[in-house]
Amino acid sequence: MKRNTLVLSVVLFIFATFAWAGWANFEYRKQAADRLLASAAKGELVVDAAGGVPEYVSPLLGKRAPAFELEDLSGNKVSLANYKGKAVLVNFWATWCAPCKIETPWLVELRSQYAAQGFEILGVSTESDGVGKDDPAAWEKDKAAIAKSAQQMHMQYPVLIDGDSISEQYGGLDSLPTSFFLDRDGTVVAVQVGLTSKSDIEANIKKAIGN
């Protein structure tokens, strides 16, 4: 009887040790992820000395845009590096974003107007619903919704999916649409958050092109 009790105690001790090790590993990974998020560059609203309208200042302004590779609606991998030598507008949007539906027709027109000067738009969808490829049915439903919106709004430029996976690299996306204007060297020369105006977008496109 004493021997059985000893064996049972040893077994319970081993199980408890494994349970503690699993919990400790989970906590370590969670803390590491929290530190990574905390260290990610975030944009902020800054009010000028004259007390004017707050302006969004991105930590990426004047720096090389973070590299990424995402799938398009056909499942092809599209890398930002593929557009080296071109002025690029990385436009984060979502199917449910009302301001995006106002802005997109402007983007379509401006892309057509400036494409001959080496300008391209990458429409990066950020549905923010937490759906990943581990849920194939929901993933395909999201893709179908994105494809439908892209078709309805005549988005002839590349439309990429799973933009949420790169949002932290771009300073976090607190508002949509959010646009990053890259010059031909891949440097961020302007950032727009929220709905602005077609003329503002065009001015930043010209800045990216080098006009």
Side-chain angles (χ1 to χ4, degrees), residues 18 69 81 120 129 177 195 200:
F18 276 113
E69 183 178 74
E120 184 58 283
D129 54 9
L195 184 65
D200 284 343

Side-chain angles (χ1 to χ4, degrees), residues 194-205:
L195 184 65
T196 55
S197 68
K198 183 179 178 181
S199 59
D200 284 343
I201 296 171
E202 184 171 16
N204 285 326
I205 289 174

Side-chain angles (χ1 to χ4, degrees), residues 63-195:
K63 299 179 181 178
R64 186 66 59 90
F68 62 78
E69 183 178 74
L70 297 171
E71 286 186 11
D72 64 15
L73 292 171
S74 298
N76 301 314
K77 295 286 188 180
V78 176
S79 172
L80 180 60
N82 295 345
Y83 296 89
K84 185 176 181 180
K86 284 194 171 188
V88 178
L89 165 51
V90 180
N91 175 249
F92 290 93
W93 69 287
T95 59
W96 46 261
C97 168
C100 299
K101 295 177 182 179
I102 298 174
E103 179 188 69
T104 299
W106 301 340
L107 299 183
V108 171
E109 291 179 19
L110 291 169
R111 189 253 188 180
S112 177
Q113 182 177 343
Y114 289 99
Q117 296 184 43
F119 172 68
E120 184 58 283
I121 298 174
L122 298 180
V124 183
S125 174
T126 55
E127 295 303 287
S128 301
D129 54 9
V131 171
K133 291 185 177 180
D134 55 335
D135 188 345
W139 179 261
E140 290 303 320
K141 183 178 179 180
D142 266 5
K143 284 181 64 176
I146 295 166
K148 182 179 179 180
S149 290
Q151 183 178 26
Q152 289 176 337
M153 294 190 288
H154 308 289
M155 299 165 71
Q156 300 300 317
Y157 47 83
V159 174
L160 311 181
I161 58 177
D162 196 22
D164 295 304
S165 66
I166 64 170
S167 64
E168 290 299 329
Q169 299 175 50
Y170 278 80
L173 303 174
D174 296 326
S175 298
L176 291 178
T178 294
S179 295
F180 295 84
F181 298 80
L182 283 51
D183 68 12
R184 299 179 192 276
D185 294 324
T187 300
V188 178
V189 296
V191 180
Q192 289 182 191
V193 176
L195 184 65

